[in-house]
Amino acid sequence: MIEARRLHILRAVADHRTVTAAAAALYLTPSAVSQQLTALEQETGHRLVERSAKGVRLTPAGEILLSHTNAILAQLERAEAELAAYRSGAAGTVTVASFATGIAQVVAPAVARLAESSPGIRLRVQDAEGDASLPMVLDRQVDIAVAVEYRGAPAADDPRLTHVPLYAEPFDAVVPLNHRLADAEEVPLADLAKDPWIGPYPGNPCHDVVVLACENAGFQPRMEHSSDDFRAVVALASADAGVALVPRSALRGMDLSAVVVRPVDGVAPTRRVFAAVRRGAEGHPLIQPVLEALGEAAG
């Protein structure tokens, strides 16, 4: 009989591509992960992984088992949710990982809503970018991720996750006060092709949004300065260090007196924000009210 905990390990190895990375995500030693994989191979009677200097990949038999693993683990999440509902699990802690603006935009308001509607549910919030928070959900380090769509992110129909759309917001152009386009009502991105740029580091989902928008406008932005903190981005723009695209909600509450903020001409680059949980867990009596509170805050 196949043990479910070994299926968790198989999926972690498939996600992280190395035994060492999977072990770190699961808080196990590499030798423990290897032992569990060996035991799983003995249980199934098939070789499931192939090791090389570049890491680990699944064999065809491993891929078959992985496709069933996603369904099995989702069903186990549903079983846990129904059992928790049966015992009226109205109190407990739910851990949410979100990027900083998402915390301000929806997570913090959700905390306040839950204090009134579900006082037994306590949220524990962690600051994490979207490209980090989704693996944290899959590795069971957190219960919910508030993340941004980005290139390479798990798709909305990924069998491992349930996506709940929250909100979408445009990016605005931020330019120095003395910029040649400071008086324009809207800023055409193509007109910024020769400017130095300020933006998030590669790997940050917002970096992908900015680069893709510039590519669609016909150029590759020349990133002179990098920061994942939009306050730093705006400060550099105010010092005439370059131009930037910044999500509209990130500009709220900032001192914008030394920059000009304008909408982008045409179709504005947009970041789409969603909540994600392990598939099957969306009906858990602790998680469902949090998802509803996030949706209400976003609405």
Side-chain angles (χ1 to χ4, degrees):
M1 182 177 293
I2 299 173
E3 291 193 20
R5 63 192 177 96
R6 290 176 182 149
L7 295 179
H8 280 293
I9 290 173
L10 179 70
R11 188 162 78 178
V13 169
D15 288 342
H16 294 281
R17 304 293 183 183
T18 70
V19 168
T20 301
L26 298 173
Y27 300 101
L28 297 171
T29 64
S31 61
V33 169
S34 295
Q35 290 170 7
Q36 292 299 319
L37 286 175
T38 299
L40 186 58
E41 289 178 329
Q42 292 173 348
E43 288 173 346
T44 61
H46 292 278
R47 187 178 180 188
L48 302 175
V49 297
E50 291 180 347
R51 296 171 175 81
S52 69
K54 295 182 179 180
V56 176
R57 70 179 185 87
L58 298 188
T59 64
E63 294 287 355
I64 291 172
L65 183 57
L66 180 65
S67 67
H68 290 284
T69 291
N70 292 325
I72 291 167
L73 295 183
Q75 189 60 43
L76 286 174
E77 293 283 357
R78 294 186 190 99
E80 290 181 5
E82 290 187 17
L83 287 170
Y86 178 75
R87 65 174 178 265
S88 300
T93 300
V94 176
T95 305
V96 180
S98 171
F99 58 100
T101 310
I103 292 174
Q105 188 83 352
V106 293
V107 178
V111 171
R113 288 173 182 270
L114 288 166
E116 296 183 1
S117 63
S118 303
I121 298 177
R122 173 174 173 262
L123 284 193
R124 179 178 294 127
V125 182
Q126 298 184 21
D127 189 334
E129 292 298 336
D131 57 329
S133 62
L134 293 175
M136 291 168 72
V137 168
L138 290 171
D139 293 334
R140 305 180 70 85
Q141 297 173 10
V142 300
D143 301 304
I144 300 173
V146 174
V148 178
E149 291 181 3
Y150 61 95
R151 287 188 285 191
D157 60 353
D158 189 296
R160 302 169 298 173
L161 295 168
T162 293
H163 284 223
V164 179
L166 294 178
Y167 65 93
E169 64 172 330
F171 282 60
D172 289 325
V174 179
V175 301
L177 286 177
N178 61 356
H179 193 272
R180 64 189 180 281
L181 296 176
D183 294 330
E185 291 186 6
E186 296 182 334
V187 174
L189 281 185
D191 291 353
L192 301 176
K194 295 183 179 179
D195 286 85
W197 278 74
I198 312 157
Y201 284 101
N204 185 314
C206 288
H207 176 89
D208 287 346
V209 174
V210 171
V211 171
L212 184 59
C214 293
E215 289 175 351
N216 289 338
F219 69 98
Q220 187 75 24
R222 177 165 54 91
M223 288 291 179
E224 290 285 339
H225 310 284
S226 297
S227 174
D228 288 335
D229 185 336
F230 286 116
R231 291 185 182 276
V233 170
V234 170
L236 287 167
S238 71
D240 201 15
V243 299
L245 289 175
V246 177
R248 188 165 291 172
S249 66
L251 294 169
R252 293 173 186 161
M254 284 195 198
D255 179 5
L256 302 175
S257 60
V259 294
V260 173
V261 179
R262 293 288 183 266
V264 173
D265 184 33
V267 180
T270 302
R271 72 171 173 182
R272 305 184 187 281
V273 180
F274 62 94
V277 299
R278 292 180 296 278
R279 189 172 291 270
E282 61 273 11
H284 192 285
L286 295 180
I287 291 177
Q288 185 175 7
V290 178
L291 293 176
E292 292 173 353
L294 290 170
E296 290 168 2

